[in-house]
Amino acid sequence: MGRLLKEQFAKLAVYNSRMNEQIIAAISHVPNKTLWQDKGAEFGSVLGTLNHIMVIDLLLLKRFDTHPAYPNGFEMLQSLSDFPQAGSIRQTLYPTLSGFTQARQALDALITNFVHEIKDEEFGKTLNGSPSVDVNSQNNSPMNQPFYLLLQDLFNHQTHHRGQITTLLSQMGIKLKETDFLALVSDDKN
């Protein structure tokens, strides 16, 4: 099961990176003011939603670094300290598209390399969470979940909010070239 999970997560990392590249390219000509314009979405604007995705990515990756098989943390996650400290789910990490773009590309590379670092047998291990890093915890009790479900949550969360972004972009007259998972990862050889 671990090998199949690793292959699936590697494909999801490729999809994540390619979708982010496509969104950034599509909005590269849009003024920053327009990207922050509140469109009534869950996180207000295009950049507000992109920042939210990154905040949750950083919070989840921090949680992953508590994996019981890696008492000193994952090697690939050591560079998390290069990113701003994520806190509130509505936090603005990068107020401009240029700053966001550079960080998003670095984070996507980190996620891709991180997935390749995980050993097959580690996907089923349970991670013991704490409220300081559990993004969905509504109380103070720890959340203990299998690692593979938490990793799946990272990719599901990104996909959910990128769907909102594609709607916002469509309302602005901007269409993405391709959003289909299989089309975007078809040439990936892992």
Side-chain angles (χ1 to χ4, degrees), residues 6-72:
K6 186 168 186 157
E7 289 175 14
Q8 174 68 14
F9 289 129
K11 295 281 189 194
L12 287 168
V14 169
Y15 178 76
N16 168 60
S17 181
R18 290 181 180 169
M19 279 298 301
N20 288 332
E21 289 171 4
Q22 192 177 166
I23 288 169
I24 289 167
I27 63 176
S28 63
H29 68 283
V30 178
N32 204 58
K33 182 178 179 181
T34 303
L35 293 175
W36 277 109
Q37 192 172 36
D38 191 338
K39 301 286 188 182
E42 187 175 358
F43 292 92
S45 65
V46 172
L47 269 176
T49 305
L50 288 171
N51 270 279
H52 168 72
I53 294 169
M54 188 177 289
V55 165
I56 301 304
D57 286 356
L58 291 169
L59 289 171
L60 284 171
L61 289 166
K62 182 178 176 183
R63 180 170 183 193
F64 299 161
D65 215 20
T66 66
H67 195 291
Y70 297 84
N72 297 322

Side-chain angles (χ1 to χ4, degrees), residues 2-16 61 64 70 74-77 107-123 147-148 150-152 154-155 158 188 190:
R3 181 180 169 98
L4 290 175
L5 284 171
K6 186 168 186 157
E7 289 175 14
Q8 174 68 14
F9 289 129
K11 295 281 189 194
L12 287 168
V14 169
Y15 178 76
N16 168 60
L61 289 166
F64 299 161
Y70 297 84
F74 285 93
E75 183 179 336
M76 291 311 308
L77 296 182
L107 189 56
D108 288 345
L110 183 151
I111 290 169
T112 299
N113 292 332
F114 167 65
V115 167
H116 288 289
E117 180 183 354
I118 303 166
K119 294 182 178 94
D120 294 347
E121 63 273 13
E122 307 305 344
F123 287 103
F147 179 52
Y148 74 92
L150 294 167
L151 192 54
Q152 183 65 52
L154 172 90
F155 293 111
Q158 294 167 351
D188 180 56
N190 277 325

